[in-house]
Amino acid sequence: MNGTYKDRVEARIRELQTAPGISVRKYEVAAPAPRSIVDAVRTEAGGHLPAGVEDFYTQVNGLTLEWSYLAPGSEGEPADQGSVNILPLENVFSNWKDAIWFDSFTGGDRFRAVKPFDLYIPEACAAFRQPLGEPAEDTLYFHYIGESLTELPLTFTQYVDQALNTCGYLGWHSLLSSNTPGSNLTLLRMRDIIPEFTDHPFRRLHKL
């Protein structure tokens, strides 16, 4: 895709702000991460930043976007919502003790290797893994906090592309599994309300 990450994010936000029924509640595009932070985090990550991470974070050190949708002329609670919360790089490969893993009960360290990078809702995130004493992995995961960890079929760069494509529509992560119930409905909702949404990546996965 063309343009810097900052340009692409800001263009996507402008599209959302002018889309019928969508209310952008919050957005923030952080300044680039300084080289000193990138180098320090690389050390924390065992000498290896996952593919695409440095390119993104040297342009944008985090992204927050929250929006809701209510059909024009309707009343009541929003029918759909979206959220992207790509964390600052210095937070991603930090310890995460007492947030993702715990040492206060047996089995609490099950997810110690999980390193969230898109904490889009309090209960779930997209994440890397970095086993203790090892370099960070390139593979991405969906983590339902405290419960499950599922590999995602995307690189980090592809993840950012789809986060922007879907504008973080709540439910888009479920489309990355080929056997998720309700996939067609989620696709239909995104086609209906998200400006310039492209469903090709998900159609290929679900053979639609």
Side-chain angles (χ1 to χ4, degrees), residues 48-59:
H48 172 71
L49 290 175
V53 166
E54 183 169 354
D55 183 47
F56 176 82
Y57 279 100
T58 52
Q59 298 181 54

Side-chain angles (χ1 to χ4, degrees), residues 117-199:
F117 67 84
D118 183 6
L119 191 58
Y120 64 96
I121 56 174
E123 300 84 14
C125 63
F128 301 110
R129 284 185 77 253
Q130 184 190 359
L132 191 64
E134 298 181 20
E137 300 173 358
D138 287 327
T139 305
L140 271 57
Y141 296 86
F142 172 80
H143 181 43
Y144 196 81
I145 294 174
E147 295 192 18
S148 62
L149 188 68
T150 306
E151 186 172 331
L152 296 177
L154 299 174
T155 65
F156 178 76
T157 300
Q158 290 169 337
Y159 182 95
V160 174
D161 288 346
Q162 293 312 313
L164 293 179
N165 178 34
T166 63
C167 296
Y169 182 90
L170 292 185
W172 82 268
H173 296 84
S174 67
L175 295 176
L176 298 174
S177 173
S178 60
N179 59 356
T180 302
S183 298
N184 288 353
L185 178 59
T186 301
L187 277 176
L188 286 171
R189 291 300 294 167
M190 289 196 289
R191 288 183 199 137
D192 286 345
I193 68 175
I194 297 176
E196 305 300 324
F197 168 70
T198 300
D199 65 3

Side-chain angles (χ1 to χ4, degrees), residues 71-82:
S74 300
E75 296 181 357
E77 295 297 316
D80 303 85
Q81 298 181 69

Side-chain angles (χ1 to χ4, degrees), residues 8-164:
R8 290 171 54 198
V9 169
E10 291 180 343
R12 206 72 180 105
I13 290 168
R14 287 194 297 271
E15 289 172 342
L16 274 182
Q17 289 173 324
T18 58
I22 289 183
S23 174
V24 176
R25 301 195 305 264
K26 179 180 180 181
Y27 74 89
E28 182 178 354
V29 184
R35 176 55 56 185
S36 59
I37 287 180
V38 174
D39 292 342
V41 173
R42 182 183 290 106
T43 299
E44 287 183 346
H48 172 71
L49 290 175
V53 166
E54 183 169 354
D55 183 47
F56 176 82
Y57 279 100
T58 52
Q59 298 181 54
V60 175
N61 191 21
L63 162 64
T64 301
L65 170 63
E66 295 178 8
W67 59 269
S68 59
Y69 172 81
L70 185 63
S74 300
E75 296 181 357
E77 295 297 316
D80 303 85
Q81 298 181 69
S83 176
V84 180
N85 183 26
I86 298 181
L87 302 172
L89 182 59
E90 56 268 31
N91 293 356
V92 174
F93 293 99
S94 57
N95 187 273
W96 289 101
K97 182 175 178 289
D98 296 328
I100 297 297
W101 68 277
F102 305 85
D103 63 2
S104 56
F105 58 91
T106 301
D109 62 351
R110 176 185 174 194
F111 297 114
R112 184 168 183 169
V114 173
K115 305 293 185 180
F117 67 84
D118 183 6
L119 191 58
Y120 64 96
I121 56 174
E123 300 84 14
C125 63
F128 301 110
R129 284 185 77 253
Q130 184 190 359
L132 191 64
E134 298 181 20
E137 300 173 358
D138 287 327
T139 305
L140 271 57
Y141 296 86
F142 172 80
H143 181 43
Y144 196 81
I145 294 174
E147 295 192 18
S148 62
L149 188 68
T150 306
E151 186 172 331
L152 296 177
L154 299 174
T155 65
F156 178 76
T157 300
Q158 290 169 337
Y159 182 95
V160 174
D161 288 346
Q162 293 312 313
L164 293 179

